[in-house]
mmCIF file of all heavy atoms in Angstrom:
data_model
loop_
_atom_site.group_PDB
_atom_site.id
_atom_site.type_symbol
_atom_site.label_atom_id
_atom_site.label_comp_id
_atom_site.label_asym_id
_atom_site.label_seq_id
_atom_site.Cartn_x
_atom_site.Cartn_y
_atom_site.Cartn_z
ATOM 1 N N ALA L 1263 76.119 87.712 25.040
ATOM 2 C CA ALA L 1263 75.431 88.301 23.889
ATOM 3 C C ALA L 1263 75.719 87.540 22.601
ATOM 4 O O ALA L 1263 75.028 87.732 21.612
ATOM 5 C CB ALA L 1263 75.843 89.765 23.725
ATOM 6 N N LYS L 1264 76.701 86.684 22.592
ATOM 7 C CA LYS L 1264 77.080 85.921 21.392
ATOM 8 C C LYS L 1264 77.359 86.849 20.209
ATOM 9 O O LYS L 1264 77.043 86.560 19.071
ATOM 10 C CB LYS L 1264 76.009 84.893 21.011
ATOM 11 C CG LYS L 1264 75.690 83.908 22.114
ATOM 12 C CD LYS L 1264 76.850 82.979 22.367
ATOM 13 C CE LYS L 1264 76.477 81.941 23.401
ATOM 14 N NZ LYS L 1264 77.459 81.660 24.366
ATOM 15 N N GLU L 1265 77.949 88.005 20.525
ATOM 16 C CA GLU L 1265 78.284 88.950 19.469
ATOM 17 C C GLU L 1265 79.363 88.348 18.569
ATOM 18 O O GLU L 1265 80.272 87.686 19.034
ATOM 19 C CB GLU L 1265 78.819 90.247 20.072
ATOM 20 C CG GLU L 1265 77.801 91.005 20.886
ATOM 21 C CD GLU L 1265 78.411 92.253 21.472
ATOM 22 O OE1 GLU L 1265 78.662 93.191 20.703
ATOM 23 O OE2 GLU L 1265 78.647 92.259 22.683
ATOM 24 N N ARG L 1266 79.239 88.607 17.271
ATOM 25 C CA ARG L 1266 80.209 88.107 16.294
ATOM 26 C C ARG L 1266 81.016 89.277 15.757
ATOM 27 O O ARG L 1266 80.529 90.399 15.679
ATOM 28 C CB ARG L 1266 79.495 87.429 15.128
ATOM 29 C CG ARG L 1266 78.691 86.205 15.470
ATOM 30 C CD ARG L 1266 79.492 84.930 15.533
ATOM 31 N NE ARG L 1266 80.347 84.674 14.389
ATOM 32 C CZ ARG L 1266 79.973 84.102 13.261
ATOM 33 N NH1 ARG L 1266 78.725 83.721 13.097
ATOM 34 N NH2 ARG L 1266 80.826 83.910 12.292
ATOM 35 N N CYS L 1267 82.239 88.994 15.376
ATOM 36 C CA CYS L 1267 83.078 90.015 14.769
ATOM 37 C C CYS L 1267 83.924 89.378 13.669
ATOM 38 O O CYS L 1267 84.054 88.166 13.605
ATOM 39 C CB CYS L 1267 83.940 90.711 15.809
ATOM 40 S SG CYS L 1267 84.991 89.601 16.753
ATOM 41 N N THR L 1268 84.497 90.215 12.803
ATOM 42 C CA THR L 1268 85.276 89.709 11.676
ATOM 43 C C THR L 1268 86.771 89.681 11.953
ATOM 44 O O THR L 1268 87.540 89.167 11.155
ATOM 45 C CB THR L 1268 85.019 90.562 10.421
ATOM 46 O OG1 THR L 1268 85.331 91.924 10.733
ATOM 47 C CG2 THR L 1268 83.568 90.442 9.987
ATOM 48 N N ARG L 1269 87.164 90.233 13.075
ATOM 49 C CA ARG L 1269 88.557 90.132 13.524
ATOM 50 C C ARG L 1269 88.521 89.963 15.048
ATOM 51 O O ARG L 1269 87.505 90.285 15.676
ATOM 52 C CB ARG L 1269 89.380 91.345 13.111
ATOM 53 C CG ARG L 1269 88.856 92.663 13.595
ATOM 54 C CD ARG L 1269 89.676 93.842 13.068
ATOM 55 N NE ARG L 1269 89.055 95.091 13.422
ATOM 56 C CZ ARG L 1269 89.077 95.639 14.630
ATOM 57 N NH1 ARG L 1269 89.716 95.069 15.606
ATOM 58 N NH2 ARG L 1269 88.472 96.769 14.867
ATOM 59 N N PRO L 1270 89.577 89.433 15.633
ATOM 60 C CA PRO L 1270 89.518 89.156 17.077
ATOM 61 C C PRO L 1270 89.244 90.411 17.909
ATOM 62 O O PRO L 1270 89.933 91.415 17.767
ATOM 63 C CB PRO L 1270 90.912 88.602 17.390
ATOM 64 C CG PRO L 1270 91.468 88.151 16.095
ATOM 65 C CD PRO L 1270 90.861 89.031 15.045
ATOM 66 N N GLU L 1271 88.210 90.330 18.735
ATOM 67 C CA GLU L 1271 87.886 91.371 19.719
ATOM 68 C C GLU L 1271 87.570 90.665 21.018
ATOM 69 O O GLU L 1271 87.005 89.566 21.025
ATOM 70 C CB GLU L 1271 86.666 92.188 19.274
ATOM 71 C CG GLU L 1271 86.907 93.052 18.064
ATOM 72 C CD GLU L 1271 85.679 93.883 17.712
ATOM 73 O OE1 GLU L 1271 84.977 94.352 18.644
ATOM 74 O OE2 GLU L 1271 85.414 94.045 16.516
ATOM 75 N N LEU L 1272 87.890 91.287 22.127
ATOM 76 C CA LEU L 1272 87.685 90.666 23.432
ATOM 77 C C LEU L 1272 86.236 90.226 23.629
ATOM 78 O O LEU L 1272 85.302 90.989 23.360
ATOM 79 C CB LEU L 1272 88.077 91.623 24.553
ATOM 80 C CG LEU L 1272 89.562 91.939 24.677
ATOM 81 C CD1 LEU L 1272 89.796 92.933 25.810
ATOM 82 C CD2 LEU L 1272 90.386 90.681 24.896
ATOM 83 N N TYR L 1273 86.085 88.994 24.073
ATOM 84 C CA TYR L 1273 84.805 88.400 24.482
ATOM 85 C C TYR L 1273 83.771 88.263 23.357
ATOM 86 O O TYR L 1273 82.595 88.083 23.631
ATOM 87 C CB TYR L 1273 84.184 89.176 25.650
ATOM 88 C CG TYR L 1273 85.138 89.437 26.775
ATOM 89 C CD1 TYR L 1273 85.511 90.731 27.100
ATOM 90 C CD2 TYR L 1273 85.694 88.395 27.510
ATOM 91 C CE1 TYR L 1273 86.400 90.983 28.136
ATOM 92 C CE2 TYR L 1273 86.588 88.633 28.539
ATOM 93 C CZ TYR L 1273 86.938 89.931 28.852
ATOM 94 O OH TYR L 1273 87.816 90.172 29.857
ATOM 95 N N LYS L 1274 84.182 88.352 22.116
ATOM 96 C CA LYS L 1274 83.246 88.213 20.996
ATOM 97 C C LYS L 1274 83.628 86.994 20.156
ATOM 98 O O LYS L 1274 84.809 86.686 19.983
ATOM 99 C CB LYS L 1274 83.255 89.460 20.124
ATOM 100 C CG LYS L 1274 82.689 90.672 20.841
ATOM 101 C CD LYS L 1274 82.613 91.857 19.926
ATOM 102 C CE LYS L 1274 82.058 93.065 20.673
ATOM 103 N NZ LYS L 1274 82.004 94.246 19.818
ATOM 104 N N LEU L 1275 82.606 86.307 19.625
ATOM 105 C CA LEU L 1275 82.848 85.160 18.761
ATOM 106 C C LEU L 1275 83.531 85.617 17.477
ATOM 107 O O LEU L 1275 83.155 86.637 16.893
ATOM 108 C CB LEU L 1275 81.536 84.469 18.415
ATOM 109 C CG LEU L 1275 80.798 83.818 19.580
ATOM 110 C CD1 LEU L 1275 79.455 83.278 19.108
ATOM 111 C CD2 LEU L 1275 81.629 82.711 20.193
ATOM 112 N N TYR L 1276 84.503 84.854 17.054
ATOM 113 C CA TYR L 1276 85.303 85.215 15.894
ATOM 114 C C TYR L 1276 85.640 83.958 15.113
ATOM 115 O O TYR L 1276 85.790 82.883 15.689
ATOM 116 C CB TYR L 1276 86.593 85.899 16.376
ATOM 117 C CG TYR L 1276 87.699 85.917 15.362
ATOM 118 C CD1 TYR L 1276 87.662 86.794 14.286
ATOM 119 C CD2 TYR L 1276 88.791 85.070 15.480
ATOM 120 C CE1 TYR L 1276 88.674 86.813 13.349
ATOM 121 C CE2 TYR L 1276 89.814 85.088 14.543
ATOM 122 C CZ TYR L 1276 89.751 85.964 13.481
ATOM 123 O OH TYR L 1276 90.748 85.977 12.556
ATOM 124 N N ASN L 1277 85.724 84.095 13.800
ATOM 125 C CA ASN L 1277 86.297 83.029 12.977
ATOM 126 C C ASN L 1277 87.150 83.678 11.896
ATOM 127 O O ASN L 1277 86.846 84.780 11.423
ATOM 128 C CB ASN L 1277 85.235 82.115 12.361
ATOM 129 C CG ASN L 1277 84.298 82.828 11.443
ATOM 130 O OD1 ASN L 1277 83.320 83.414 11.906
ATOM 131 N ND2 ASN L 1277 84.574 82.803 10.157
ATOM 132 N N ARG L 1278 88.218 82.988 11.538
ATOM 133 C CA ARG L 1278 89.067 83.482 10.459
ATOM 134 C C ARG L 1278 88.273 83.405 9.157
ATOM 135 O O ARG L 1278 87.450 82.507 8.982
ATOM 136 C CB ARG L 1278 90.355 82.651 10.371
ATOM 137 C CG ARG L 1278 91.221 82.835 11.622
ATOM 138 C CD ARG L 1278 92.386 81.896 11.625
ATOM 139 N NE ARG L 1278 91.904 80.544 11.982
ATOM 140 C CZ ARG L 1278 92.691 79.504 12.144
ATOM 141 N NH1 ARG L 1278 93.994 79.610 11.981
ATOM 142 N NH2 ARG L 1278 92.188 78.321 12.468
ATOM 143 N N ALA L 1279 88.538 84.337 8.240
ATOM 144 C CA ALA L 1279 87.779 84.424 6.990
ATOM 145 C C ALA L 1279 87.822 83.119 6.208
ATOM 146 O O ALA L 1279 86.821 82.719 5.614
ATOM 147 C CB ALA L 1279 88.312 85.576 6.138
ATOM 148 N N ASP L 1280 88.957 82.441 6.232
ATOM 149 C CA ASP L 1280 89.084 81.192 5.477
ATOM 150 C C ASP L 1280 88.634 79.969 6.268
ATOM 151 O O ASP L 1280 88.733 78.846 5.795
ATOM 152 C CB ASP L 1280 90.521 81.008 4.981
ATOM 153 C CG ASP L 1280 91.541 80.942 6.107
ATOM 154 O OD1 ASP L 1280 91.256 81.441 7.221
ATOM 155 O OD2 ASP L 1280 92.638 80.400 5.869
ATOM 156 N N LYS L 1281 88.117 80.171 7.482
ATOM 157 C CA LYS L 1281 87.637 79.081 8.346
ATOM 158 C C LYS L 1281 86.244 79.433 8.853
ATOM 159 O O LYS L 1281 86.034 79.715 10.032
ATOM 160 C CB LYS L 1281 88.573 78.879 9.545
ATOM 161 C CG LYS L 1281 90.047 78.819 9.210
ATOM 162 C CD LYS L 1281 90.442 77.465 8.703
ATOM 163 C CE LYS L 1281 91.949 77.375 8.633
ATOM 164 N NZ LYS L 1281 92.497 77.046 7.372
ATOM 165 N N PRO L 1282 85.223 79.425 7.983
ATOM 166 C CA PRO L 1282 83.897 79.927 8.362
ATOM 167 C C PRO L 1282 83.177 79.128 9.444
ATOM 168 O O PRO L 1282 82.270 79.650 10.087
ATOM 169 C CB PRO L 1282 83.113 79.866 7.045
ATOM 170 C CG PRO L 1282 83.813 78.839 6.222
ATOM 171 C CD PRO L 1282 85.266 78.925 6.613
ATOM 172 N N LEU L 1283 83.558 77.886 9.685
ATOM 173 C CA LEU L 1283 82.848 77.067 10.670
ATOM 174 C C LEU L 1283 83.430 77.189 12.081
ATOM 175 O O LEU L 1283 82.787 76.810 13.056
ATOM 176 C CB LEU L 1283 82.858 75.598 10.241
ATOM 177 C CG LEU L 1283 82.187 75.304 8.904
ATOM 178 C CD1 LEU L 1283 82.308 73.825 8.563
ATOM 179 C CD2 LEU L 1283 80.725 75.733 8.924
ATOM 180 N N GLU L 1284 84.655 77.684 12.203
ATOM 181 C CA GLU L 1284 85.270 77.767 13.527
ATOM 182 C C GLU L 1284 84.661 78.909 14.339
ATOM 183 O O GLU L 1284 84.116 79.860 13.781
ATOM 184 C CB GLU L 1284 86.794 77.930 13.431
ATOM 185 C CG GLU L 1284 87.258 79.353 13.194
ATOM 186 C CD GLU L 1284 88.764 79.525 13.233
ATOM 187 O OE1 GLU L 1284 89.492 78.672 13.748
ATOM 188 O OE2 GLU L 1284 89.221 80.554 12.724
ATOM 189 N N ARG L 1285 84.737 78.780 15.656
ATOM 190 C CA ARG L 1285 84.301 79.833 16.575
ATOM 191 C C ARG L 1285 85.343 79.928 17.684
ATOM 192 O O ARG L 1285 85.599 78.955 18.393
ATOM 193 C CB ARG L 1285 82.927 79.535 17.192
ATOM 194 C CG ARG L 1285 81.792 79.503 16.207
ATOM 195 C CD ARG L 1285 81.520 80.860 15.562
ATOM 196 N NE ARG L 1285 80.459 80.779 14.589
ATOM 197 C CZ ARG L 1285 80.632 80.544 13.287
ATOM 198 N NH1 ARG L 1285 81.843 80.360 12.811
ATOM 199 N NH2 ARG L 1285 79.612 80.502 12.464
ATOM 200 N N THR L 1286 85.906 81.111 17.811
ATOM 201 C CA THR L 1286 86.966 81.361 18.786
ATOM 202 C C THR L 1286 86.608 82.623 19.561
ATOM 203 O O THR L 1286 85.946 83.513 19.028
ATOM 204 C CB THR L 1286 88.313 81.564 18.048
ATOM 205 O OG1 THR L 1286 88.550 80.443 17.208
ATOM 206 C CG2 THR L 1286 89.471 81.685 19.011
ATOM 207 N N VAL L 1287 87.077 82.694 20.803
ATOM 208 C CA VAL L 1287 86.889 83.883 21.630
ATOM 209 C C VAL L 1287 88.255 84.324 22.129
ATOM 210 O O VAL L 1287 89.058 83.497 22.574
ATOM 211 C CB VAL L 1287 85.961 83.598 22.829
ATOM 212 C CG1 VAL L 1287 85.903 84.796 23.764
ATOM 213 C CG2 VAL L 1287 84.570 83.225 22.365
ATOM 214 N N LEU L 1288 88.527 85.617 22.053
ATOM 215 C CA LEU L 1288 89.768 86.196 22.553
ATOM 216 C C LEU L 1288 89.524 86.735 23.959
ATOM 217 O O LEU L 1288 88.561 87.473 24.173
ATOM 218 C CB LEU L 1288 90.217 87.326 21.617
ATOM 219 C CG LEU L 1288 91.512 88.057 21.976
ATOM 220 C CD1 LEU L 1288 92.709 87.125 21.775
ATOM 221 C CD2 LEU L 1288 91.661 89.310 21.112
ATOM 222 N N ILE L 1289 90.387 86.337 24.899
ATOM 223 C CA ILE L 1289 90.263 86.853 26.269
ATOM 224 C C ILE L 1289 91.632 87.302 26.767
ATOM 225 O O ILE L 1289 92.663 86.795 26.308
ATOM 226 C CB ILE L 1289 89.668 85.810 27.244
ATOM 227 C CG1 ILE L 1289 90.593 84.603 27.416
ATOM 228 C CG2 ILE L 1289 88.274 85.383 26.804
ATOM 229 C CD1 ILE L 1289 90.191 83.680 28.539
ATOM 230 N N PRO L 1290 91.667 88.228 27.717
ATOM 231 C CA PRO L 1290 92.949 88.625 28.304
ATOM 232 C C PRO L 1290 93.520 87.484 29.157
ATOM 233 O O PRO L 1290 92.786 86.820 29.891
ATOM 234 C CB PRO L 1290 92.597 89.826 29.191
ATOM 235 C CG PRO L 1290 91.231 90.251 28.782
ATOM 236 C CD PRO L 1290 90.564 89.045 28.215
#
């Protein structure tokens, strides 16, 4: 789904507020 979030959530695209270009995913 390429869902975005503003803080790390499982399986959702995330970037730190001060790093707008990065894309990270949190997984177990």
Side-chain angles (χ1 to χ4, degrees):
K1264 303 291 184 222
E1265 295 179 72
R1266 297 276 310 275
C1267 57
T1268 56
R1269 57 184 173 76
E1271 292 183 37
L1272 292 178
Y1273 311 115
K1274 293 184 181 179
L1275 294 175
Y1276 161 76
N1277 62 276
R1278 294 173 284 184
D1280 60 338
K1281 313 280 191 236
L1283 299 178
E1284 83 174 342
R1285 295 294 178 268
T1286 305
V1287 174
L1288 180 69
I1289 65 169

